Amino acid sequence: QVQLQESGPGLVKPSQTLSLTCTVSGDSATINNYYWSWSRQPPGKGLEWVGAMSFSGSLYYSQTLKSRTSISRDTSKNQFTLQLTSVTPEDPAVYYCARHDLSGGRSTLDYWGEGTQVPVSS
């Protein structure tokens, strides 16, 4: 029904910008009726939600990362891109894109990409 795949460079230097793209495969109704999120999991830590968007233009960011986070969309390609600026050695993590289901008063990440590991060089 839904498939997601992250892509992007495998290494980011400190102070530079991390950029990752998620490509969504699914029908138009699915694409248009859900939000799409970025999350990350640093080594030894739990999952941290980064932000979400809809292809109609809604944007939501984690309050802790908002100042460094930007999510954009490409509706023609069913892609959305995460940009995290001024990266630090604390930003290495496995980054995931996922479908964000907000129906029924819930907030559920129900479909996930496989994740992509993003090291930050020293």
Side-chain angles (χ1 to χ4, degrees):
Q1 186 179 32
V2 179
Q3 289 183 315
L4 305 93
Q5 187 173 71
E6 304 91 346
S7 63
L11 179 66
V12 182
K13 295 181 179 180
S15 79
Q16 294 185 340
T17 297
L18 181 155
S19 183
L20 295 170
T21 296
C22 182
T23 301
V24 182
S25 299
D27 59 87
S28 297
T30 297
I31 297 296
N32 295 324
N33 292 332
Y34 291 88
Y35 292 84
W36 306 90
S37 295
W38 284 102
S39 301
R40 68 180 187 178
Q41 187 168 27
K45 298 183 179 180
L47 189 70
E48 178 185 19
W49 180 77
V50 177
M53 54 142 275
S54 72
F55 283 98
S56 64
S58 298
L59 292 170
Y60 304 92
Y61 297 115
S62 165
Q63 202 155 15
T64 60
L65 297 172
K66 183 177 181 179
S67 64
R68 299 193 291 130
T69 304
S70 178
I71 300 177
S72 59
R73 71 192 192 279
D74 186 337
T75 57
S76 67
K77 297 180 179 180
N78 292 337
Q79 293 179 330
F80 61 105
T81 297
L82 170 69
Q83 290 189 310
L84 184 67
T85 63
S86 302
V87 298
T88 74
E90 294 185 353
D91 290 322
V94 178
Y95 284 76
Y96 299 91
C97 58
R99 191 175 78 172
H100 202 156
D101 187 359
L102 297 175
S103 65
R106 301 178 181 179
S107 180
T108 305
L109 303 176
D110 54 1
Y111 288 88
W112 297 75
E114 65 180 8
T116 184
Q117 189 174 43
V118 182
V120 178
S121 66
S122 60

